[in-house]
Amino acid sequence: MSSKVRRAGLAVFAATLVLAGAVYGVTRSTAANAAVQLTAPQLVADMGAGWNLGNQLEANANGIPSETAWGNPVITQALIDRVKASGFKTIRIPISYLGKIGSAPNYTVDSAWLNRVQEVVNYAYNSGLYVLINMHGDGYKSVTGSWLICDASDQTTIKAKYQKVWQQVATKFASYNDHLILESMNEEFDGQYGNPTQPCYSNIVAYNQIFVDTVRRTGGTNASRWLLIPGWNTNIEYTTGSYGFSLPTDAYRSSSIPSGEQRLMISVHYYDPWDFTGQEDGNITQWGAAATNSAKKSTWGQEDYMDLTLKKMYDTFVTKGYPFFVGEYGSIDKTSADPANNTYRANFAKALVTTVKKYGGASAYWDNGYNGQYGFGLFNRSSNTVTQQGIISAIITAAGGTSPTTPPVTPSPTKTPVTPSPTTPTSSPGGTGTCRVVNAVNAWNTGLTNSITITNTGSTAINGWSLVFTLPAGQTITGGWSATYSPTSGTVTATNAGYNGNLAPGGSATIGYQASHTGNAAAPTGFKLNGSTCS
């Protein structure tokens, strides 16, 4: 994605560099770090649903990497725990190096930055998740200090710097098992959208070869781990078509890898149609066969297009033993223009994950940490809470995941989601009180999830709360998150969890539940917070 969209709605660059301390995470045992050599089908199946920790370790202030520079808080173990509890099994962590790289000839990466990268990786890796890391922002011409530029004149210097940086990064992680995957670069191209140019594409192919050779030669698990290789701007057409992409040779891989198997994956992104997924206006807010308003639906890029496009990855690479990874996909929040938009965002995500899986790949949703108008966020990174349970449920179900043992609860993968009423999410009825409640219902045949956002509209803080509401007839809560619910039908009281009981004036908390229904999938009514009627 372009850096502009990555920063949608976020704060301007921070004036100061904020880095967490150079602290190492918990180290795994030697046995736990033993390489697990999965075949391509085994790997993509095991990776399950993926999520991007976007706008953090690739954020920068004037060319200096800083995880808070684009408005997000410092990354915590609690955030990663929440992502895992939501059912995700893979986390992609974009990383910039930029001004943290020293001068020639060694191009030494700042040790504190590399240690912080390792610490964040360990949050996910030590939790048993797959982790993908890359070189993310160093090739954007719009970023101060960018240097991995495929049409720059001094390619000798660029390639030497690229090799040295990857040598250091790969050495740092050489002992990590195959749950760590390295990706050579992100969205590398000459900045001009259109057919790839030469020799720019040739340089991208050369960078990929340097990456593979360098990582393999550092030894350890790097000699056998899966490596992720992108083409021109991670564009599917320009990677599968006759535009100049070629896979690197893998001459230095471990002899333990069977000769008939690969250890290279292909990296692509998917944001079609852009007027639905990323264009920051309220014109195109619906997608797919379930769309109810043709004027709000793009004229291209629907399910048939998605299928044909992703089939190209299967025909070109998967049939030859190379799996693929859609490292970014998603759509921005346009509910301010169309209250039903989240329904179509969930439908888009479900279709993408389903189709990728069908053709032998895995995927990771792009989350930039921003919730609200034009944001991609699925989680609130300050409170470590879920903000888009409907989209998450669609992703986890499509990936074939099972309901996590800790909240939030997600629908069973054996159920087939259907489109809820376009009137959801809906505000609850009622008079004016000290609270506001917004529902986001995602329904299927006999079940639903509802994500409820509670906002304190009063002038004083609320310390501990109970939210009372009435479920429609035939609905029964089967599980919930971020609150306790009693009873499970009729008039229900949701009581705050330990971490979200304090609501400052203007503050919000998001809770939710899964419920069965007998045909009425409407939102609850009659919301009262600590006895006050909510609007």
Side-chain angles (χ1 to χ4, degrees):
M1 295 178 61
S2 69
S3 57
K4 176 181 179 182
V5 175
R6 289 180 183 281
R7 303 171 204 172
L10 295 180
V12 296
F13 284 142
T16 58
L17 175 63
V18 180
L19 285 175
V23 181
Y24 286 87
V26 177
T27 303
R28 290 187 170 200
S29 66
T30 301
N33 275 332
V36 180
Q37 295 186 354
L38 299 180
T39 64
Q42 291 171 335
L43 175 71
V44 295
D46 203 39
M47 290 174 71
W51 177 81
N52 270 277
L53 181 61
N55 275 30
Q56 293 260 226
L57 295 187
E58 90 277 20
N60 75 89
N62 297 319
I64 304 298
S66 166
E67 67 188 272
T68 60
W70 293 350
N72 279 310
V74 170
I75 304 160
T76 64
Q77 181 70 61
L79 171 64
I80 304 306
D81 290 346
R82 172 55 62 193
V83 174
K84 180 182 178 181
S86 297
F88 290 97
K89 294 183 65 180
T90 295
I91 293 183
R92 181 175 180 259
I93 304 175
I95 302 165
S96 290
Y97 295 93
L98 297 166
K100 293 295 184 180
I101 304 172
S103 59
N106 295 326
Y107 299 108
T108 302
V109 178
D110 178 77
S111 60
W113 181 243
L114 199 51
N115 285 341
R116 176 55 178 162
V117 169
Q118 184 182 46
E119 183 178 40
V120 174
V121 167
N122 284 343
Y123 291 159
Y125 178 82
N126 289 333
S127 298
L129 300 173
Y130 279 92
V131 186
L132 291 92
I133 61 173
N134 66 4
M135 183 179 289
H136 202 86
D138 295 60
Y140 291 141
K141 290 185 177 181
S142 59
V143 171
T144 300
S146 60
W147 55 274
L148 189 64
I149 308 300
C150 67
D151 58 351
S153 58
D154 189 0
Q155 288 296 312
T156 299
T157 297
I158 289 173
K159 291 172 182 176
K161 187 174 182 178
Y162 181 72
Q163 190 276 331
K164 288 293 186 182
V165 173
W166 266 118
Q167 183 179 45
Q168 295 168 76
V169 175
T171 299
K172 189 78 168 177
F173 294 102
S175 65
Y176 285 55
N177 72 21
D178 278 8
H179 272 67
L180 178 70
I181 296 172
L182 307 181
E183 180 182 19
S184 64
M185 67 191 92
N186 178 79
E187 295 179 350
E188 180 68 25
F189 71 128
D190 65 4
Q192 301 299 315
Y193 293 93
N195 288 345
T197 58
Q198 298 293 338
C200 195
Y201 211 151
S202 296
N203 287 327
I204 292 172
V205 170
Y207 301 158
N208 283 330
Q209 187 65 63
I210 292 168
F211 164 75
V212 171
D213 291 346
T214 299
V215 171
R216 293 291 190 229
R217 285 171 164 169
T218 60
T221 308
N222 288 337
S224 61
R225 79 169 70 256
W226 285 90
L227 303 178
L228 193 53
I229 309 299
W232 181 275
N233 198 27
T234 59
N235 178 280
I236 292 176
E237 176 63 31
Y238 297 147
T239 303
T240 59
S242 300
Y243 295 95
F245 178 78
S246 62
L247 280 164
T249 59
D250 201 0
Y252 301 101
R253 74 181 197 174
S254 171
S255 60
S256 67
I257 302 173
S259 59
E261 294 182 12
Q262 312 300 338
R263 283 296 183 274
L264 302 179
M265 304 174 68
I266 315 304
S267 175
V268 292
H269 296 171
Y270 193 95
Y271 290 107
D272 292 331
W274 183 250
D275 51 4
F276 170 75
T277 64
Q279 189 167 302
E280 295 185 356
D281 58 36
N283 296 330
I284 303 299
T285 59
Q286 300 188 10
W287 181 89
T292 59
N293 186 340
S294 60
K296 292 182 176 294
K297 177 180 175 180
S298 182
T299 58
W300 70 289
Q302 306 304 306
E303 290 96 338
D304 55 347
Y305 177 89
M306 179 184 287
D307 190 272
L308 287 171
T309 301
L310 290 167
K311 186 177 184 296
K312 293 178 181 179
M313 296 300 295
Y314 175 82
D315 292 341
T316 307
F317 299 112
V318 177
T319 56
K320 299 176 179 64
Y322 299 95
F324 68 99
F325 186 70
V326 179
E328 295 182 18
Y329 72 92
S331 55
I332 60 176
D333 188 335
K334 300 183 183 181
T335 53
S336 59
D338 182 352
N341 175 241
N342 281 340
T343 295
Y344 303 106
R345 296 175 70 202
N347 290 351
F348 175 83
K350 176 180 180 291
L352 187 283
V353 176
T354 299
T355 310
V356 167
K357 183 179 178 182
K358 168 184 173 182
Y359 286 124
S363 56
Y365 177 91
W366 177 257
D367 187 329
N368 64 359
Y370 177 64
N371 293 282
Q373 188 177 38
Y374 307 143
F376 281 92
L378 302 182
F379 299 90
N380 182 315
R381 297 185 190 178
S382 295
S383 61
N384 303 316
T385 55
V386 171
T387 59
Q388 294 291 346
Q389 184 60 46
I391 298 174
I392 292 174
S393 296
I395 293 169
I396 304 304
T397 302
T402 57
S403 299
T405 56
T406 56
V409 177
T410 55
S412 166
T414 61
K415 298 172 183 176
T416 304
V418 296
T419 305
S421 166
T423 60
T424 60
T426 178
S427 296
S428 63
T432 59
T434 60
C435 55
R436 181 175 65 252
V437 169
V438 176
N439 296 284
V441 175
N442 185 41
W444 60 96
N445 295 345
T446 59
L448 61 87
T449 60
N450 185 19
S451 180
I452 304 172
T453 299
I454 312 159
T455 302
N456 176 11
T457 58
S459 58
T460 59
I462 297 174
N463 298 312
W465 50 262
S466 294
L467 182 71
V468 177
F469 55 86
T470 301
L471 292 172
Q475 289 189 16
T476 301
I477 293 176
T478 57
W481 55 93
S482 301
T484 57
Y485 301 84
S486 181
T488 57
S489 60
T491 300
V492 178
T493 298
T495 305
N496 67 271
Y499 58 83
N500 63 2
N502 296 326
L503 296 178
S508 298
T510 298
I511 64 174
Y513 59 84
Q514 180 181 347
S516 61
H517 68 83
T518 57
N520 184 354
T525 58
F527 287 93
K528 290 186 177 182
L529 185 69
N530 291 356
S532 296
T533 301
C534 298
S535 59

